């Protein structure tokens, strides 16, 4: 079992819809969770992080964390074609060295105009 | 301010040759990471430097891979006797002490013929 799993997609949503991206992790001791966006041919950039159970909102983005079920999700409201990218879930696993992140393989999102 | 820079941006080499990849982190960032990303895959952790501490080399795939960080700043990743399976994008990231966010460089695309 991979430590961090994501549906590779591709996920397609129409412009204006809500895109829902999901990530599960195996290390129950994980404490920190991150969502990175990576445009094709570019490096990842951090868009959200969450440490506590529940929802965290930032503009059109909402991160949701459920430690009991070991999943973290990212919702993108009012999706725009510019949101089309690969979204990487990253987890600070307890077994790793300090500040080391374990990344999922990413979900490719396409927002159709 | 300046972000993380990497050089070269592209490197094509022949199987069996050695290559050196360079990373200049953001000034003042004490932590530096190297990752590898194969086509369509997530980020694979390679090595982590934190200040003057011994690096975490747990992600290096073989003894052909090594890295050093001189003066707590610039880092060089060296791959000896390159193999075709080493072809990937090599990403460097740096992080400020006390924070979780990693800032990524643009990457070096390595192609081993």
């Amino acid at each position: 079992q991979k430590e961090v799993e994501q549906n590779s997609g591709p996920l397609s949503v129409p412009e204006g819809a809500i895109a829902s991206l999901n990530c599960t992790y195996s290390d129950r001791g994980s404490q920190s969770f991150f969502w990175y966006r990576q445009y094709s041919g570019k490096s990842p950039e951090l868009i959200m992080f969450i440490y506590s159970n529940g929802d965290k909102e930032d503009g059109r983005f909402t991160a949701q964390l459920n430690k009991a079920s070991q999943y973290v999700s990212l919702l993108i409201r009012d999706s725009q074609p510019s949101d089309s990218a690969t979204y990487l879930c990253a987890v600070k696993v307890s077994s790793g060295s300090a500040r080391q992140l374990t990344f999922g393989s990413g979900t490719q999102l396409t927002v159709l105009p | 301010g300046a972000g993380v820079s990497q050089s070269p941006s592209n490197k094509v080499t022949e199987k069996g040759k050695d290559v050196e990849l360079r990373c200049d982190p953001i000034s003042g960032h004490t932590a530096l990471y190297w990752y590898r990303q194969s086509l369509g895959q997530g980020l694979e952790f390679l090595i982590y430097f934190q200040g003057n501490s011994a690096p975490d080399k747990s992600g290096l795939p073989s003894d052909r891979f090594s890295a050093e960080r001189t003066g707590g700043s610039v880092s060089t990743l060296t791959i000896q006797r390159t193999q075709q399976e080493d072809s990937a994008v090599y990403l460097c990231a740096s992080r400020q002490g006390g924070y979780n966010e990693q800032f990524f460089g643009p990457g070096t695309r390595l192609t081993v013929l």
Side-chain angles (χ1 to χ4, degrees), chain A residues 2 32 34 36 38 41-46 51 88 92 96-106, chain B residues 33 35 37 40-43 45 48 50 56 58 91 95 98-107 109:
Chain A
K2 291 182 179 179
S32 309
F34 305 83
Y36 281 80
Q38 186 175 27
K42 303 295 184 182
S43 57
E45 57 179 333
L46 182 69
Y51 303 146
L88 299 167
K92 167 67 176 71
S97 64
R99 311 296 186 179
Q100 176 187 330
L101 298 181
T102 300
F103 285 81
S105 57
Chain B
Y33 303 77
Y35 294 91
Q37 187 173 36
Q41 300 298 309
L43 275 66
F45 167 76
Y48 160 57
Q50 172 59 60
D56 176 357
S58 60
L91 289 160
R95 177 181 56 78
Y99 294 85
N100 278 311
E101 181 175 0
Q102 297 181 23
F103 293 85
F104 285 84
R109 181 175 297 278

Side-chain angles (χ1 to χ4, degrees), chain A residues 36-38 41-45, chain B residues 2-9 22-26 29 32-35 37 43 89-95 102-109:
Chain A
Y36 281 80
R37 177 177 62 198
Q38 186 175 27
K42 303 295 184 182
S43 57
E45 57 179 333
Chain B
V4 178
S5 61
Q6 293 185 245
S7 61
S9 55
R22 176 187 168 104
C23 172
D24 281 272
I26 294 173
H29 282 197
L32 186 148
Y33 303 77
W34 282 98
Y35 294 91
Q37 187 173 36
L43 275 66
V89 175
Y90 289 81
L91 289 160
C92 174
S94 71
R95 177 181 56 78
Q102 297 181 23
F103 293 85
F104 285 84
T108 293
R109 181 175 297 278

